[in-house]
Amino acid sequence: MSVLACGLNTSGQVMKAGPGILCCPSPVAFPSAVTTASVAFSHILWRTDAGWQWTGYDSGGSQGSQARGVIKSSWKVCVCENRIAAINDDGSVLVWEKQWKTLHFQKRNPDSETLGKNLSQDIDSTNYKGKESTNIDTSMKFHLEQREYESTKRKDLENTSHDTVPYNHITETQTMNKRCKLETFTKKDEWQVSNLSCPATTKITFAKVAVEDNSLLAVDTAGVMYCGSVPVPLRMKMKEVAVGKEHCMALTAAGDVITWGSGMRGQLGIGELCQAERPIPVESLQGVPITTIACGAWHCTALSETGDLYVWGWNESGQLGYPYNCEGSQSLFLFFEHACQCPERNHLEGEQLQEENKDTEESQGVQAEVRSKGMQDKRVNPKRRKEVINVQASPVLLDFWTEDVNITNVQCGDRHTLYMLDDGSVWSAGMNRYGQLGLGHVRAVKEPCRVFRRGISDMCAGGWNSIFFTTSELPAS
């Protein structure tokens, strides 16, 4: 198996001493086999047999590399521009900023209701209906910042007709069997700090983690989701979590999708542009069993068990797979012709596409810049939706391919998306300014384009890069 990568390379994150832009998927050389990767803007972490390897910009330099030490290949790792989150062999969550720190999480109240199977009941539980407090009224406000939690204003509570359940935020934790410092919000709108004894509890073992510079989500083996270090009071078991620049999303074990955070670019999928301080269900996906979720900086995807893909959010660069207004996203880079400097043009599809575009330009002019070879493919739906979408505030079925085509894998970069179909082909859509679509050029494209016909076993995306894992030495075009 070999590894190919394309996109931004100004920090040498794909290959040292290579060109700043790799518009063709180029081979990545490592002394040991690479099995997966986690991608940020300026650096990439690669999982090899010898452990996770760092390439690209390192703010800590050689000292930072020594301080991080060897990240074992058995660890589950998620990277963003300024942080690394990892689940070690013991199931603990560690975060790297300038040094490794083990996060300590507030244990879910054992007296609370057990995890249920009904999403509507769980969403009701976020409103804490039918509950009474014995001494302290508290409310919880979800923020995207890991360490900063604020309570809602008292007047918001007075506008509701139900009571709230006491909820405590851990602000300083030593270990779960020591005394903890808890902050609570009282009826008098005053912060009180009380020292409470935390009972000895069993260790929390984590299975999933997702991180951004301003947020962290984790899911333990029991299906409980944590935002920062606090358990989210939902009774649904969680399966997956994902974070964008300003929003979060999660997938329940029952196949339902919930979102929260900023939805000013439609990324919450609730039909309006607004903020959501608490997790809310994406109602238009109710009844559709979702198996996988992924999100970019401001767009989301949800893949159903039947191979249908639902997309929503910002479509500024066509990352949803639908046409967009490219005239509104003009860049200085578009006025300079890009000359491919990729060291090995293993991407035959890109060469063929470049020749086709050249021939088409002579007959059809400038519009050939947004054409692709994939558009003549028999799998492409001739009745697909073709109107321009700038912001999609609710999930919409991606109908670019015919009904008999199923999507098996979806990966999101910040402003681009990769699709793998059931026939083994790989397609890409969205921002292509740094060659991250792997098409052999950096021109804008309005709809998904085929990158490979077959030969790809897995793929990753993040920031402005795409990574492909091949089933053979050279994928077929």
Side-chain angles (χ1 to χ4, degrees):
M1 181 182 72
S2 59
V3 182
L4 304 175
C6 58
L8 191 66
N9 190 49
T10 53
S11 300
Q13 52 265 57
V14 175
M15 62 174 61
K16 294 181 179 179
I21 292 177
L22 293 169
C23 59
C24 300
S26 304
V28 177
F30 275 99
S32 56
V34 177
T35 56
T36 189
S38 185
V39 186
F41 275 105
S42 63
H43 55 274
I44 302 175
L45 281 179
W46 313 79
R47 185 166 69 183
T48 70
D49 297 337
W52 288 84
Q53 305 294 321
W54 178 298
T55 61
Y57 176 73
D58 189 348
S59 59
S62 60
Q63 293 181 352
S65 177
Q66 294 175 0
R68 280 192 304 272
V70 177
I71 305 176
K72 295 182 179 180
S73 59
S74 57
W75 290 15
K76 298 177 182 178
V77 171
C78 182
V79 65
C80 61
E81 189 62 18
N82 296 308
R83 295 200 291 176
I84 303 173
I87 300 176
N88 65 11
D89 296 335
D90 296 331
S92 299
V93 175
L94 292 79
V95 173
W96 168 269
E97 290 183 69
K98 295 183 179 180
Q99 61 182 354
W100 284 111
K101 295 180 180 179
T102 301
L103 296 188
H104 299 284
F105 293 81
Q106 179 178 348
K107 183 69 175 178
R108 185 183 180 91
N109 185 357
D111 297 328
S112 64
E113 297 184 43
T114 57
L115 297 176
K117 296 182 179 180
N118 187 288
L119 181 62
S120 61
Q121 293 177 358
D122 284 345
I123 298 304
D124 287 344
S125 73
T126 63
N127 296 325
Y128 315 111
K129 292 182 178 179
K131 304 292 183 179
E132 291 185 356
S133 171
T134 56
N135 54 1
I136 299 176
D137 252 346
T138 64
S139 62
M140 178 172 142
K141 183 175 183 179
F142 286 91
H143 281 284
L144 295 181
E145 297 186 5
Q146 177 188 357
R147 296 182 180 85
E148 295 181 9
Y149 296 93
E150 297 178 357
S151 66
T152 54
K153 295 181 179 179
R154 182 62 189 170
K155 60 177 62 177
D156 292 334
L157 294 177
E158 294 174 351
N159 291 333
T160 61
S161 60
H162 53 76
D163 294 330
T164 60
V165 169
Y167 199 85
N168 295 328
H169 293 281
I170 291 186
T171 59
E172 181 181 337
T173 307
Q174 298 297 325
T175 56
M176 292 306 296
N177 59 353
K178 293 184 179 180
R179 301 180 66 84
C180 298
K181 185 177 181 181
L182 304 180
E183 291 183 338
T184 56
F185 187 69
T186 68
K187 293 182 178 179
K188 297 180 180 180
D189 293 354
E190 296 176 352
W191 285 99
Q192 290 186 350
V193 178
S194 59
N195 288 324
L196 301 179
S197 178
C198 295
T201 58
T202 57
K203 182 179 181 298
I204 305 175
T205 303
F206 287 89
K208 301 282 186 179
V209 67
V211 68
E212 257 295 343
D213 289 337
N214 58 355
S215 58
L216 183 144
L217 296 180
V219 178
D220 66 18
T221 53
V224 179
M225 180 172 66
Y226 297 77
C227 182
S229 61
V230 180
V232 179
L234 292 176
R235 294 172 299 160
M236 288 296 296
K237 290 185 178 181
M238 296 297 158
K239 179 181 177 182
E240 287 188 25
V241 288
V243 292
K245 294 298 183 184
E246 299 174 343
H247 73 288
C248 301
M249 65 185 304
L251 176 66
T252 71
D256 296 303
V257 179
I258 59 176
T259 59
W260 69 99
S262 172
M264 301 311 294
R265 292 178 173 90
Q267 61 266 50
L268 297 186
I270 59 176
E272 55 183 310
L273 308 183
C274 63
Q275 305 271 352
E277 298 172 352
R278 294 187 175 98
I280 52 178
V282 181
E283 294 184 355
S284 58
L285 293 179
Q286 293 288 302
V288 180
I290 301 299
T291 59
T292 303
I293 58 173
C295 67
W298 298 280
H299 73 287
C300 299
T301 65
L303 183 62
S304 75
E305 64 180 15
T306 59
D308 294 326
L309 183 65
Y310 297 87
V311 296
W312 65 95
W314 203 25
N315 195 46
E316 170 265 349
S317 298
Q319 55 264 50
L320 298 186
Y322 283 99
Y324 69 104
N325 182 13
C326 59
E327 295 180 359
S329 59
Q330 292 292 323
S331 168
L332 179 65
F333 291 98
L334 299 179
F335 296 95
F336 296 90
E337 183 177 355
H338 169 73
C340 178
Q341 300 177 359
C342 300
E344 297 183 34
R345 294 184 62 87
N346 282 342
H347 185 213
L348 302 181
E349 188 89 5
E351 293 181 351
Q352 296 169 0
L353 175 61
Q354 193 177 50
E355 291 299 322
E356 179 178 320
N357 283 339
K358 181 178 179 180
D359 296 338
T360 312
E361 282 179 359
E362 296 176 357
S363 59
Q364 298 187 16
V366 180
Q367 291 188 1
E369 292 184 356
V370 295
R371 294 178 58 84
S372 74
K373 186 174 182 178
M375 292 183 183
Q376 288 86 40
D377 197 292
K378 293 181 179 180
R379 292 164 293 186
V380 176
N381 180 15
K383 299 180 180 180
R384 65 190 181 276
R385 181 178 177 180
K386 296 182 180 180
E387 59 265 30
V388 170
I389 296 177
N390 294 322
V391 173
Q392 180 65 39
S394 58
V396 60
L397 177 67
L398 182 59
D399 63 350
F400 180 77
W401 295 279
T402 56
E403 292 183 358
D404 59 339
V405 173
N406 294 327
I407 300 173
T408 60
N409 190 3
V410 178
Q411 299 293 325
C412 295
D414 266 33
R415 299 188 186 183
H416 73 286
T417 308
L418 304 179
Y419 317 87
M420 182 180 290
L421 306 187
D422 53 359
D423 62 359
S425 62
V426 173
W427 301 62
S428 61
M431 181 178 176
N432 193 37
R433 190 172 300 165
Y434 304 101
Q436 57 264 56
L437 299 188
L439 302 175
H441 61 78
V442 296
R443 295 188 295 273
V445 295
K446 285 190 175 181
E447 291 183 307
C449 304
R450 190 178 68 224
V451 186
F452 298 107
R453 289 181 180 175
R454 61 183 180 273
I456 302 299
S457 60
D458 200 2
M459 56 190 186
C460 299
W464 294 330
N465 290 93
S466 301
I467 301 172
F468 308 95
F469 300 87
T470 70
T471 56
S472 59
E473 291 301 321
L474 183 62
S477 61

